[in-house]
Amino acid sequence: MIIIDKLIISVFVALTAVIVANSSMANEFPLAEKVLVEKGKRQLHLLREDKPFRTFKIALGVEPVGDKFMEGDQKTPEGEYILDARNPNSEFFLSIHISYPNSTDIAEAQRMGVNPGGQIMIHGQPNFPTFSQAYYEREDWTNGCIAVSNSDMIDIWLMTPKMIPIEIVP
């Protein structure tokens, strides 16, 4: 019963975020010009005029040190990408797709004879959690994505326009 209640609340919040994003209220949120992720600091920054105006705590892939080079390595990629698609119905609370792999990533993977992987996202918490909330708050737990709290995901969703650049640094 608790899982169903959480699912109903998650769906309601997701729908509210989508409705707000498409309404005039969305204009009240400042829009970022770029996203910067500092993996070592576990921070995601929304930038305007190259200055952060919002910073969020993040979780990364379970193998957070180093650049992603192949599918299944559990690493979060490093480099310059685009936030190129949104999914309000993902298995995590909202998700925004990162354009990994880029041409450099593909060439490197081909050189090494491996699949670079894909489906790297910024997203909220799992809709059907398998661990405690405390676990998700203190551990790197994704398969290579960038995870934030659900409330932070709503803010990021509302403050990032389509096709915004994202830079992920060590």
Side-chain angles (χ1 to χ4, degrees):
M1 188 66 164
I2 292 172
I3 292 175
I4 293 172
D5 290 343
K6 284 185 178 182
L7 178 61
I8 291 169
I9 291 169
S10 293
V11 169
F12 175 75
V13 173
L15 289 173
T16 302
V18 171
I19 291 166
V20 169
N22 292 323
S23 74
S24 61
M25 285 179 65
N27 295 332
E28 295 175 19
F29 289 91
L31 288 180
E33 296 169 344
K34 182 177 181 177
V35 175
L36 173 65
V37 172
E38 293 181 287
K39 288 172 54 174
K41 291 183 179 180
R42 302 300 188 276
Q43 293 181 336
L44 180 151
H45 309 281
L46 300 181
L47 307 176
R48 279 191 77 73
E49 298 176 5
D50 292 322
K51 294 184 177 99
F53 68 89
R54 287 293 305 272
T55 297
F56 304 93
K57 181 181 172 189
I58 62 171
L60 301 170
V62 296
E63 295 290 335
V65 178
D67 192 10
K68 181 170 197 60
F69 67 93
M70 64 180 255
E71 184 173 34
D73 65 9
Q74 306 295 304
K75 294 184 179 291
T76 302
E78 298 170 1
E80 295 185 9
Y81 304 97
I82 300 291
L83 298 181
D84 61 359
R86 293 167 179 261
N87 183 358
N89 302 310
S90 102
E91 64 186 86
F92 299 94
F93 181 77
L94 303 175
S95 66
I96 303 175
H97 186 258
I98 298 170
S99 65
Y100 174 88
N102 62 25
S103 58
T104 302
D105 300 317
I106 292 168
E108 182 67 15
Q110 286 176 340
R111 187 181 66 71
M112 296 186 324
V114 297
N115 179 343
Q119 292 304 309
I120 303 297
M121 312 276 182
I122 299 171
H123 60 68
Q125 303 301 296
N127 293 330
F128 299 101
T130 54
F131 298 103
S132 71
Q133 186 61 36
Y135 174 84
Y136 293 113
E137 290 173 3
R138 73 173 183 268
E139 301 294 330
D140 287 318
W141 57 269
T142 76
N143 291 330
C145 293
I146 299 164
V148 297
S149 71
N150 289 351
S151 61
D152 288 348
M153 191 62 214
I154 291 171
D155 289 349
I156 294 166
W157 185 275
L158 294 174
M159 291 189 246
T160 55
K162 293 177 182 175
M163 304 306 287
I164 184 173
I166 178 171
E167 182 178 5
I168 306 170
V169 299

